[in-house]
Amino acid sequence: MSANRVVVVGSINMDLVARTPRMPAPGETILGTTFATTPGGKGANQAIAAARAGADVAFVGAVGDDTFALDLRQALVDAEVDAERLREVSGPSGVAVITVDDDGQNSIVVLPGANSRVLDLTDEELRPVADADVLLCQLEIPVETVTAAARHGSAHDTVVMLNPSPARPLPDELIASVDVLVVNETEEQQLGGDTLARVAHVVTTLGADGARYRGPQGDRVQVGSPDVDAVDTTGAGDAFTGALAFAWDRGPRDALTFACAAGALATTRPGASAASPTRAEIEALLSENT
């Protein structure tokens, strides 16, 4: 079977990752243990995750003209993501400042940089959306851009999948164009039942407990997550979402099972996009748990 075609319109950041024994309290200074810079951003993370899971992926977004830009572009290329539509704009690239403690929990501050300037998508940037099986978006770029991309995808019968993170009220026009919402439990609560009810398919991630699905007829599916030794949860949600985009056409249960395995594997490695597993790794873990 040929790979599904996924287009990601979203953010790309350089992650500045500090590991600490525990999270500092407000106003407290503590000593960390390691520091690393790794390519990230929810859009790029999910694009790389989808590509490693087996999809043909194109990315639409922006980097700055700083020293991070070349490494960010190269990270997409190395993952075999089509980066031809990655703009370069003046100013800084996006940056995320991430603290990870010894329990694998994290806190994140995102500075959008060039991501805030992904505006007025061109015909060339929108062209692959019309030909894709799935359009995958998040909310680390302007919501107006996400809405325009989603509207274009919906008009061309592309499945529009939205990970509404960071959570915010969604414009009516965006909700009307979305086929699949992918949320965690906090985002589910923040969006509220009225918004969720207006989207045909809702997938809620449950961390180590797996994920659940609610379909257009009220049909529900819940699957568990394989047991793994987690060291860093930073990239788990993005690995899940990228793998879900690739596997969406398999049906809710199989797609969620595949995505949960991807998310679980991502927690066993440090980093965000670097932690995303390959299709072979995902299938091997699933075989071990059958």
Side-chain angles (χ1 to χ4, degrees), residues 249-271:
D249 65 350
R250 300 182 180 186
R253 184 173 297 279
D254 287 350
L256 263 64
T257 299
F258 186 86
C260 282
L265 282 169
T267 70
T268 66
R269 306 162 181 168

Side-chain angles (χ1 to χ4, degrees), residues 15 45 70 81 100 125-126 158 190 211-212 257 269 279-280:
D15 290 348
N45 290 346
L70 182 60
V81 173
V100 183
E125 288 169 332
L126 286 171
T158 300
Q190 290 173 328
R212 64 171 177 256
T257 299
R269 306 162 181 168
R279 181 176 182 178

Side-chain angles (χ1 to χ4, degrees), residues 169-284:
L170 302 180
D172 289 342
E173 187 178 10
L174 176 56
I175 297 172
S177 298
V178 171
D179 300 296
V180 188
L181 271 179
V182 184
V183 294
N184 60 28
E185 292 178 284
T186 299
E187 292 157 355
E188 184 179 58
Q189 293 174 356
Q190 290 173 328
L191 288 175
D194 290 344
T195 296
L196 298 176
R198 296 170 62 190
V199 179
H201 307 273
V202 178
V203 174
T204 305
T205 59
L206 307 173
D209 292 327
R212 64 171 177 256
Y213 163 85
R214 188 270 298 155
Q217 306 302 321
D219 44 319
R220 297 179 184 273
V221 172
Q222 183 162 338
V223 303
S225 181
D227 290 330
V228 296
D229 294 324
V231 299
D232 183 358
T233 62
T234 303
D238 292 334
F240 174 97
T241 305
L244 184 74
F246 162 71
W248 183 250
D249 65 350
R250 300 182 180 186
R253 184 173 297 279
D254 287 350
L256 263 64
T257 299
F258 186 86
C260 282
L265 282 169
T267 70
T268 66
R269 306 162 181 168
S273 61
S276 293
T278 65
R279 181 176 182 178
E281 291 170 329
I282 296 167
E283 291 176 344

Side-chain angles (χ1 to χ4, degrees), residues 46-119:
Q46 292 176 15
I48 290 171
R52 289 186 173 167
D56 288 331
V57 183
F59 183 80
V60 179
V63 292
D65 57 4
D66 54 9
T67 56
F68 290 147
L70 182 60
D71 289 341
L72 292 175
R73 183 182 298 274
Q74 192 62 44
L76 294 174
V77 172
D78 288 347
E80 299 185 354
V81 173
D82 178 355
E84 289 297 316
R85 296 165 187 84
L86 180 64
R87 301 181 186 180
E88 181 177 310
V89 300
S90 60
S93 299
V95 170
V97 181
I98 303 173
T99 302
V100 183
D101 68 17
D102 284 347
D103 292 326
Q105 299 303 306
N106 65 77
S107 65
I108 304 174
V109 177
V110 176
L111 307 171
N115 295 304
S116 64
R117 298 174 63 187
V118 184
L119 297 165

